[in-house]
Amino acid sequence: MRWARFVWLRRWHGLMGFGISSYVMLLACCVVLISPTSSEAQQSARPQPPNIVVLLADDAGWGDYSVSGNPYVKTPHIDSIAQQGVSLTNFYVCPVCSPTRAEFLTGRYALRTGVRGVSLGEERLNLDEQSIAEHFRKAGYRTGIFGKWHNGSQGPYHPLARGFDVQLGYTAGHWSEYIDAPLESQGRPVTSEGYIVDTCMNAAIDFISSSQPPFFCYVPLTTPHSPWCVPQTYWNRWKDRDVGLTGKEADAVRCVYAMMEQQDDAVGRLLARLDSLHLSSNTIVLYFSDNGPNTVRWNGDMRGRKGTVDEGGVRSVGFLRWPGHIPPGSTQTGLIGAIDLLPTLAGLANIPLDSAKPLDGLDVSTALLKNVPFERQQPLLSHWAGKFSLRSPTHRLDFQSRLYDMQHDRSQKVDLSTTHPEIASVMRQQLERLKTELLQPPATSQQSAQLDTADILKSPWLLPAHKEFLAHPAQDSRLYPVGYVSLPYTWLPARDGQPLGKIQRSSNAPNSSYFTNWNDDQSAVVWPVDILTSGAYRIELESTSPATAIGSELEISFQDSKLSVLISISHDPPTDTRQDTIPRPKAETLSKPFRRWQAGSIQLPAGPGLLTIRATQLQGSSIIDLKSINLILEEQRP
């Protein structure tokens, strides 16, 4: 390039009749102008950091892929990630959704991060944890999330406060609508069109297409988590097919496989877009699932499913491709877990990690690039519902202290604890050390604001329902923040509230539930909140009410602030039958379209307290079914 410029300058000199001294001076000036600085030269010499695309399935088991040997389902696009890269054959996640996501996001065991459940606030990632998106954004990446977050809904737990620049999807752990789903975009509610997997995948593809590399694109997919809903064209292919089972169980599995094939097509569209944009060669694509299968179905004869700490409940596929860097069709037999993904992706991308907290995960990048087995010295812990299991490179110690040889007995049929007592003893000691370390309460509170029980009991707005709440507080003591300035829209779903008196949840599972049986003036719903910013808040409700409830009044209160709300419009729609290809599990709420409406404004002081909704005037036998209350900060007050 410089030689071409030199020839051009000589020709220009001849045409313009410059003297040699003028020419030298002009050349010197041009060299100054066109020569890069040393730092620019170093940057241009460095290879372009790879883009990162992470695809996370929801409730898919290790056996739900044709590449795993499933005799029923075909997943060619997802399989291609393994065929063009590496398959992690001993890759482990958690037994349920939110802990796996926390471990991927932080590189630390979920029990360290504050994530101890899947709802009722226990799914929230502690505010002093650094996410993988924060690390990559600090390194210059544009970051986006498209799908299910499940690690906190309100700012600053929200993904837009945890390192993501762009967001479309939902923050809850379970979603009730898959067709024309109500979602949120950039922290605000939106109504989508079409099937939820396509909606989120299309947004991810648009993000990739519009982003200047490098980008970090996280696509936590919705399927095959229930409800059992899939586009009709996919169901038509599956509704009569053999899946190795009969009866209602067979229909659920048919729907799962239909969902997997739909998901596979969506993944194929994203991979095709990377190809068409000529980005595949410098994009790392990672695919895995968050736990074992959510029904009984083919899973390589492993014991356990979702919610268990046995092999079948925590083993996942792990596929990673990076053309030109990861040998195609390779396998990695080393013991690897979700906690290793953050340091490994950072290692592959040459991103420095300045984590304020020590990571449990290890950087496996060198083993992947060199195609050599990764040698892990410490075992991996699995935990759920008070049960613990430990996986070493060769053995599993289950929650009943039975020992199994995982190299020859993944089905966990032969207990070796008496024939190999030395191995069992070492693993029991390792497990006890980890349990002691991980089950300790955090050194400092993650949220300084706490409810003052004495003040609540003295307050003039005290209801019998409040006494009930104080007698049986929520398991998670962290309050729900309201009024985070960067995200002024605060969503408080029924999942996070506590029904008191006669009010009930619409289902046993809090996620996607709503409050119903609201027919007296002594019952209430409370949310233990911390108002971060004092000021004027607009109140928005998502609800349904029958015609007989018109004229009823609600009272929304927080400390001494109150807002009276009149129910003046009937909205009582039937169940949305589009959302169920086959009947959903009994624990899940049936879907219906809720009305989102403005209930008024209220001045709220900063500080902790109970946000309360109750009925003060009653008409008819049923007043309201409530899906959520949303508070929008409109004006800050000093």
Side-chain angles (χ1 to χ4, degrees), residues 551-566:
S552 299
E553 288 188 11
L554 303 173
E555 180 185 80
I556 300 171
S557 62
F558 175 80
Q559 297 185 11
D560 294 327
S561 299
K562 294 182 180 180
L563 173 66
S564 181
V565 180
L566 176 69

Side-chain angles (χ1 to χ4, degrees), residues 40-205:
E40 289 173 335
Q42 290 172 1
Q43 289 178 2
S44 63
R46 292 176 190 155
Q48 173 73 31
N51 305 304
I52 310 289
V53 174
V54 178
L55 302 160
L56 174 59
D58 195 358
D59 281 4
W62 173 88
D64 287 339
Y65 306 88
S66 43
V67 74
S68 296
N70 188 301
Y72 307 106
V73 71
K74 300 298 181 186
T75 52
H77 301 296
I78 298 170
D79 296 351
S80 74
I81 303 172
Q83 293 158 354
Q84 297 167 12
V86 61
S87 179
L88 312 179
T89 59
N90 287 298
F91 178 68
Y92 293 90
V93 293
C94 299
V96 290
C97 309
S98 49
T100 292
R101 294 157 202 271
E103 294 192 354
F104 160 66
L105 289 168
T106 65
R108 290 161 48 80
Y109 279 122
L111 286 171
R112 297 193 198 275
T113 71
V115 177
R116 295 170 179 255
V118 296
S119 63
L120 302 175
E122 293 187 316
E123 77 284 358
R124 288 177 290 175
L125 190 67
N126 280 339
L127 300 179
D128 58 354
E129 296 288 342
Q130 289 176 278
S131 81
I132 190 170
E134 291 175 286
H135 289 292
F136 274 84
R137 184 163 72 175
K138 190 181 298 183
Y141 279 67
R142 186 179 185 226
T143 57
I145 175 172
F146 308 96
K148 168 179 168 176
W149 168 245
H150 202 187
N151 285 125
S153 294
Q154 302 82 22
Y157 293 102
H158 192 279
L160 290 175
R162 309 309 295 261
F164 288 98
D165 300 314
V166 181
Q167 177 245 359
L168 176 78
Y170 56 100
T171 57
H174 167 79
W175 212 236
S176 193
E177 295 89 13
Y178 284 6
I179 297 174
D180 299 343
L183 301 174
E184 63 173 271
S185 174
Q186 297 303 102
R188 294 274 183 168
V190 296
T191 300
S192 65
E193 293 184 2
Y195 192 61
I196 191 169
V197 173
D198 288 330
T199 297
C200 294
M201 190 64 79
N202 290 343
I205 291 171

Side-chain angles (χ1 to χ4, degrees), residues 338-377:
I339 56 174
D340 301 319
L341 295 177
L342 185 157
T344 298
L345 289 173
L348 290 172
N350 198 26
I351 299 299
L353 291 179
D354 55 347
S355 178
K357 295 189 172 187
L359 301 185
D360 294 302
L362 303 174
D363 181 0
V364 188
S365 61
T366 299
L368 298 181
L369 293 169
K370 293 184 177 181
N371 194 21
V372 297
F374 176 67
E375 297 183 4
R376 184 182 217 99
Q377 302 302 317

Side-chain angles (χ1 to χ4, degrees), residues 271-317:
L271 298 178
R273 179 57 63 90
L274 289 174
D275 286 342
S276 68
L277 295 172
H278 306 289
L279 293 173
S280 296
S281 62
N282 201 35
T283 298
I284 296 170
V285 178
L286 168 68
Y287 181 100
F288 66 109
S289 185
D290 60 357
N291 45 248
N294 52 355
T295 70
V296 174
R297 56 185 185 264
W298 191 90
N299 200 32
D301 200 31
M302 291 184 290
R303 178 197 289 175
R305 50 181 279 196
K306 177 182 179 178
T308 74
V309 294
D310 287 311
E311 188 81 353
V314 294
R315 186 185 180 199
S316 169
V317 297

